[in-house]
Amino acid sequence: MTLSTRRQAKRAARRAARRALPRWRRLLPTWRITLGALTTLLLLTVGAFAVLYVIVPVPDANAHAVAQNNIYLYADGTTEIARTGAVNRTDVTIRQIPLQTQHAVVSAEDRTFYQNRGIDLKGMLRAGWNTLTGKGMQGGSTITQQYVKNYYLTQDQTIERKGRELFIALKVDQQRDKNDILAGYLNSSYYGRGAYGIQSAAHAYYGVDVSELDVAQGAYLATLLQAPSLYDVRTATPANREKALARWNYTLDGMVQLGFLSATERAATTFPEPTDPQPATGLSGQAGYLVGVADDYLVSSGIIDAATLKAGGWRITTTFDKPRQDAFVKAVQDELTDELDPKARPTTDTDVRVAGASVEPGTGRVVAVYGGPDYAKQPYNDALRQDNQIGSTFKPIDLAAGLVAQHTLDGRPITTESHYDGTSERPVTGGPTPYAPPNEDDIDYGDITLRYAMVKSVNSVYAQEGVDAGLARVRQTAIKLGIPDSVRGMDPANTSMTLGTATPSALDLAGVYATLANHGQAHTPWSVAKLERVNPGGAIDVPKMPDHTPTNALDRDDADAVTDVLRDVVSPRGTGAAALDLGRPAAGKTGTTDANLSAWFAGYTPELATTVGLFRENPKTHAKEPLSGTAGLTRINGGTFPTKIWTAYMTAALDGTAVRQFDLQSQPSRNEPTFGPGPSATTTPSSSATPGPTSTTPAAGTGGLGGLGGLGGGGTGGETPGGTAPTVTAPTHPAPSSAAPDPGTPSHAPEPSPPAPQPTPTHEQPSPTAHPTPTRTTPQPTATSATGTPAAKPPATPPTQ
C-alpha cells in the first residue's frame, strides 16, 4: 500500500468514526480545526496590528495641550503682574522638576514606567478584571498612554480613541526618551484649581516655582493627578480628604518600594498642607495697563510678532518697579480722585481720566505708567493713546529747535535770553498760515526774554520763536527727542504747530523730557528686560533684546540750556510752582489745550522723568469734554492737578534716594534777570520782537488757529485761547530780534512784575479756546486738521482704543 493510499484510508476511517458519534458531538469542531482557526486568527491579529501600527500616525499636538499663558513679572523678576491666556499653563523642562517629584509621579501613576514599552498589558488586564469583579473602575493606562491622551488626542471615552492611544503610545515610546515623555505628561496634566502643568500647579497649591518643591509637596501634586478636584484638601469633603491622604501615603510608600526614598526619610515626611485657593491673576487694577505697555513694546520694536506673543508660554520680565507703580496710583487717588464729587457735580466730575508715564533718563527704562483706574472697568490704556494735544509742554521743543538753528529769519542767533514781544494776540510773522494766539487773560508782557516767556508760558512769544527756528526744524527736533513722526498735529504747514497741536502719548512725552534730562541723549522708552519660553521639547526660546544704545538727539549744550530754563518754570513765579513741594532740583513745563480739553505737566529730576496728562472723555461716544468745572474749579490748568499728581508721585518714587543736582555742561549767560518784566512792561528794548509796519490779514477761516481758522487738528496751539478777533494786523516783515544783549549789560533794569489781571493761582496759561476774556469778544473758531480738513473735535473712537 502506497503512502497516498494509507492517508486516504486514515481520513476515511476518521470520517466514519465521526459519523458514528452522536449528532450534538459532530457539531463541535475537531482539535485540528480549532488549532487551525486559532493559528489563522493569531496571524490575522498580528498582521492587523502591524498594519495599524504602520498606518496610525503620531499626530500633531492638540491645541489645548500646547496652549500656555504669558506670565508678566515686575522688574524684580519674581513679583507677578498678571497671567494672560485661556489656559493656565507654563511648560518647564525635566531639569527644572526635582527628581523626587518625578519619582513621586512614577510611584503614583505607573510604577513600571521606566521598564515598559509604552503600554502595560498586565496592568490593563488587572484593571479590567478589578473593574469586572466590582472593585471599581480602574485604569490600566501607563504614563505614556496618559501623555498621549493629553497631548495628542482627547478625553473622549471611546474604543476608537483608546485604540489609537495604544498604537501612538507604542510609537512614542520608541521615538522619544523616557524623560521627554515624563516632562510632557507633567506639563500637559490637569491638577485642579485651573492649573495645567506642574509649574502652574506648584504656584496654585504652594506659591512656589516647581524647582522649589520638596518631597512631600511633590508627592501631593502627584496624588492630585488621579482626582484633581476631589483631592484638593482645602475644599474636599472629609471623606475625600481621607482618600487624598491615603493616596499621598500610597505614593510615598511606593517610592520606598521602588528605591526612590529611604524608609527613614519616609517616616520623617509629614503632609504638606497647601495654601487656600487664590483667585486667578487677571488683568484688573493696573495689571492690564502694564501688560498693554509691555506687549506694545515687544511688537512695535520687532522683538516678536503679535501672533507669536499671543501663542503664549512666554515669561516676560518687565522694567516696571512695583513700589513706584503703586506710588503713581496713590498719587492720582490722593491728589485728584479724592477731590472729585460725581454726585454733587455730575456734569464736571465724571469721566475724568489721567494718563501718566515715568522713565529713567539714563537708561530709558519705563518704571511706572498710569493708564487708568482699573483695567477691568476701563479697558483702554490712556498712557499709550495718541489723541490728546499736549499744548505748551511742546514749547521746550520750540526752544531747543531755536538753539539748534542758531539764527532767526534775520540771521541773528537765538539764545535763552533772546528778546521777543510778548504782546497778547500779536500776529506771527513769517509763518505759513496766519496765527495770532492770545496769552492767558490777554496779558501783554511787552519785551521779555525766551526764558521769562517759558516761565510764564507766553504763547505769543513761542509762536513766533518756533517760526523763527523753522517749523521743519521744530518738527525734526521733536522727532529726534522722541515724538513719533506719525502723530497728528506736527505739520510744518500750520503755524499753530509751535504751541502743541501734537498728540504724542504720555509715554512718548516722558521719553522727550527724559532725553532733555539725559543731556540730549535719547533712549526710546522700553518696558521689557527679559523674555523666554520653554518649548514642549525642552528647548528654550530667548529672543534677542535691543541694546538700548542712546542716540544724540540734541547737543549737550543745547539740552542743558533748555533744562536750565525749565528749572525756572518750577519756581515761585513759574507755572509749575506746585512742583516746588518736591523739595529737590526739578525742571518741567505745564500745558493746557484748546477749550480746556486737556492739561499736562511734564517734568524731571536728574534721576526720573515723568509726565501727567488730564482730560475728560465721554465713555460712550469717546468725545472729549472740557475740564472746566472739574472739582469745582473754573479752569483746570497744567499747574493744578497734573503738577500736584506729578509732585506726589515723584516724592514717593524718589524717597530714600540721594538728592542730585543737575549736572549742566555750561550755565547760559543770563544777561536778563531770571524773571523778566511783568505784564504790560513799559521798558524800551534795544532789540525786540516789536512788529513793524502792518497790513491787514484775512479774516477768520483762512487757515489760522482759533479766530484765524483754528489750525492743528483740534485748534490748539498752547495754553491760551485759540480764538482771536476775526481780523488782525500783521507785520510785513519778520519783526523779532533775537540778538542777545551785551554781556553784563541788561537791556533793561530788573523790575518787579506787577500783578497780572485776574491771574490763576499758579499763573498757568489758559487753554487755547474760543472763550476769550471779558475785554475781548471773539467768534467761536472752526478748527482744522493738519491737512486743512475740519477737525474741531477729536475722533469719536480714539485710535488707541
Side-chain angles (χ1 to χ4, degrees):
M1 182 180 293
T2 65
L3 179 61
S4 175
T5 303
R6 286 197 299 271
R7 287 178 177 174
Q8 290 177 359
K10 287 182 179 180
R11 282 197 296 270
R14 286 197 299 271
R15 284 195 295 269
R18 186 169 184 78
R19 283 194 295 268
L21 294 173
R23 183 185 177 92
W24 64 270
R25 180 66 181 82
R26 293 199 304 269
L27 294 176
L28 297 177
T30 65
W31 66 270
R32 288 184 176 85
I33 294 175
T34 301
L35 180 61
L38 290 176
T39 301
T40 302
L41 181 61
L42 178 61
L43 292 173
L44 290 173
T45 301
V46 172
F49 190 91
V51 171
L52 289 173
Y53 182 85
V54 171
I55 66 174
V56 174
V58 177
D60 293 332
N62 64 63
H64 189 273
V66 296
Q68 300 184 60
N69 52 21
N70 289 329
I71 300 176
Y72 296 80
L73 305 172
Y74 281 103
D76 60 13
T78 56
T79 306
E80 191 170 305
I81 298 174
R83 292 175 180 242
T84 62
V87 177
N88 180 20
R89 179 190 358 256
T90 303
D91 285 350
V92 291
T93 66
I94 194 67
R95 293 184 298 276
Q96 293 173 270
I97 305 171
L99 187 60
Q100 293 286 47
T101 299
Q102 299 176 39
H103 290 162
V105 172
V106 170
S107 174
E109 294 294 300
D110 180 9
R111 294 183 179 180
T112 67
F113 170 70
Y114 291 113
Q115 292 79 39
N116 64 48
R117 297 291 185 178
I119 62 173
D120 182 3
L121 293 177
K122 289 175 59 179
M124 295 170 65
L125 293 173
R126 182 174 59 252
W129 176 254
N130 289 337
T131 299
L132 290 173
T133 56
K135 295 183 179 180
M137 291 289 295
Q138 295 187 20
S141 297
T142 62
I143 283 177
T144 305
Q145 288 175 269
Q146 294 180 65
Y147 165 59
V148 166
K149 178 177 66 175
N150 293 340
Y151 195 74
Y152 297 107
L153 303 175
T154 67
Q155 304 299 315
D156 295 341
Q157 298 294 324
T158 64
I159 295 176
E160 186 270 340
R161 196 274 299 162
K162 192 69 177 178
R164 293 184 63 205
E165 173 190 301
L166 186 144
F167 288 107
I168 295 172
L170 288 169
K171 282 192 171 184
V172 167
D173 185 77
Q174 292 296 314
Q175 298 171 3
R176 299 184 62 180
D177 182 79
K178 288 287 187 180
N179 282 335
D180 290 341
I181 295 171
L182 183 58
Y185 173 62
L186 293 174
N187 282 322
S188 62
S189 296
Y190 182 61
Y191 294 80
R193 297 192 181 184
Y196 289 86
I198 196 163
Q199 170 75 328
S200 296
H203 278 279
Y205 287 91
Y206 294 107
V208 299
D209 278 344
V210 64
S211 60
E212 300 174 42
L213 292 173
D214 60 28
V215 174
Q217 293 168 338
Y220 178 62
L221 296 186
T223 295
L224 289 168
L225 290 167
Q226 188 179 64
S229 299
L230 296 179
Y231 287 176
D232 185 343
V233 296
R234 305 302 290 181
T235 59
T237 64
N240 284 333
R241 179 182 174 87
E242 289 302 316
K243 291 180 181 178
L245 292 175
R247 181 73 176 177
W248 179 75
N249 283 305
Y250 165 82
T251 299
L252 290 173
D253 291 342
M255 293 178 70
V256 174
Q257 295 172 12
L258 295 172
F260 297 146
L261 186 68
S262 70
T264 302
E265 291 175 305
R266 166 67 182 95
T269 304
T270 58
F271 184 73
E273 288 288 343
T275 61
D276 289 328
Q278 301 295 316
T281 305
L283 298 177
S284 61
Q286 293 297 300
Y289 305 124
L290 300 182
V291 167
V293 172
D295 286 354
D296 182 75
Y297 168 71
L298 288 171
V299 175
S300 64
S301 60
I303 297 172
I304 57 176
D305 59 65
T308 303
L309 179 61
K310 188 177 180 180
W314 296 100
R315 186 179 178 89
I316 302 164
T317 303
T318 69
T319 59
F320 305 123
D321 182 83
K322 190 175 190 310
R324 286 176 171 173
Q325 182 64 37
D326 294 342
F328 218 142
V329 175
K330 188 176 188 301
V332 173
Q333 180 69 40
D334 293 349
E335 301 300 327
L336 175 65
T337 309
D338 288 350
E339 300 298 319
L340 301 178
D341 191 347
K343 292 183 178 179
R345 296 182 291 270
T347 60
T348 60
D349 283 18
T350 55
D351 309 325
V352 181
R353 298 167 74 152
V354 175
S358 191
V359 175
E360 283 185 352
T363 65
R365 293 175 65 251
V366 183
V367 299
V369 296
Y370 188 88
D374 185 346
Y375 188 81
K377 298 177 181 178
Q378 180 201 296
Y380 306 116
N381 196 336
D382 291 333
L384 294 179
R385 63 189 304 155
Q386 294 178 330
D387 63 343
N388 287 308
Q389 296 176 337
I390 61 172
S392 289
T393 57
F394 193 84
K395 287 174 182 172
I397 298 175
D398 294 326
L399 178 58
L403 297 177
V404 170
Q406 288 293 304
H407 62 81
T408 65
L409 295 181
D410 60 359
R412 281 173 285 186
I414 294 176
T415 72
T416 62
E417 313 310 316
S418 294
H419 285 238
Y420 273 79
D421 183 356
T423 301
S424 183
E425 294 190 68
R426 176 195 173 280
V428 175
T429 63
T433 54
Y435 191 34
N439 299 326
E440 179 187 16
D441 296 319
D442 254 350
I443 300 172
D444 293 325
Y445 288 89
D447 177 60
I448 56 175
T449 64
L450 286 177
R451 178 185 298 275
Y452 184 67
M454 188 73 76
V455 170
K456 291 298 184 183
S457 201
V458 181
N459 290 324
S460 58
V461 168
Y462 275 95
Q464 183 65 61
E465 186 273 340
V467 169
D468 293 348
L471 296 183
R473 181 176 286 107
V474 171
R475 173 183 166 82
Q476 182 183 34
T477 302
I479 293 171
K480 285 184 176 181
L481 287 170
I483 293 184
D485 60 2
S486 60
V487 303
R488 296 181 303 167
M490 285 210 302
D491 185 359
N494 289 332
T495 308
S496 59
M497 183 188 80
T498 55
L499 298 187
T501 57
T503 59
S505 69
L507 183 55
D508 296 331
L509 190 59
V512 171
Y513 277 70
T515 300
L516 294 174
N518 197 34
H519 312 293
Q521 297 298 300
H523 288 278
T524 300
W526 53 284
S527 54
V528 176
K530 187 178 180 181
L531 183 67
E532 60 182 357
R533 178 176 67 177
V534 177
N535 290 315
I540 301 178
D541 289 334
V542 184
K544 178 176 173 53
M545 304 299 288
D547 294 330
H548 308 300
T549 302
T551 60
N552 185 40
L554 204 62
D555 287 346
R556 178 162 184 167
D557 285 348
D558 294 334
D560 286 358
V562 175
T563 294
D564 187 57
V565 171
L566 295 184
R567 289 193 303 171
D568 286 345
V569 175
V570 183
S571 70
R573 295 176 64 187
T575 58
L580 286 170
D581 289 343
L582 179 62
R584 61 171 71 209
K589 185 68 188 76
T590 53
T592 312
T593 61
D594 190 25
N596 209 183
L597 293 181
S598 64
W600 292 83
F601 184 73
Y604 52 93
T605 65
E607 308 93 334
L608 205 57
T610 301
T611 57
V612 178
L614 191 67
F615 64 100
R616 291 183 67 225
E617 179 177 288
N618 187 299
K620 294 182 180 179
T621 66
H622 300 295
K624 298 296 170 56
E625 300 172 338
L627 287 167
S628 305
T630 299
L633 301 180
T634 303
R635 181 172 56 200
I636 302 298
N637 298 320
T640 56
F641 290 120
T643 306
K644 291 179 180 178
I645 293 170
W646 183 93
T647 305
Y649 161 72
M650 292 287 282
T651 299
L654 297 175
D655 184 42
T657 64
V659 175
R660 289 176 54 188
Q661 303 294 325
F662 285 106
D663 179 23
L664 303 184
Q665 181 93 352
S666 59
Q667 295 290 341
S669 174
R670 296 190 183 185
N671 299 316
E672 296 287 331
T674 300
F675 304 103
S680 303
T682 58
T683 56
T684 303
S686 57
S687 59
S688 69
T690 305
T694 63
S695 63
T696 301
T697 61
T702 60
L705 179 67
L708 297 176
L711 282 175
T716 177
E719 294 180 272
T720 62
T724 61
T727 60
V728 297
T729 57
T732 58
H733 61 274
S737 173
S738 304
D742 293 337
T745 306
S747 60
H748 48 74
E751 180 179 345
S753 174
Q758 298 179 348
T760 58
T762 60
H763 299 282
E764 167 67 322
Q765 304 300 323
S767 60
T769 172
H771 301 286
T773 59
T775 59
R776 294 176 185 260
T777 303
T778 60
Q780 179 74 17
T782 301
T784 62
S785 71
T787 59
T789 58
K793 294 181 180 180
T797 303
T800 55
Q801 296 182 3

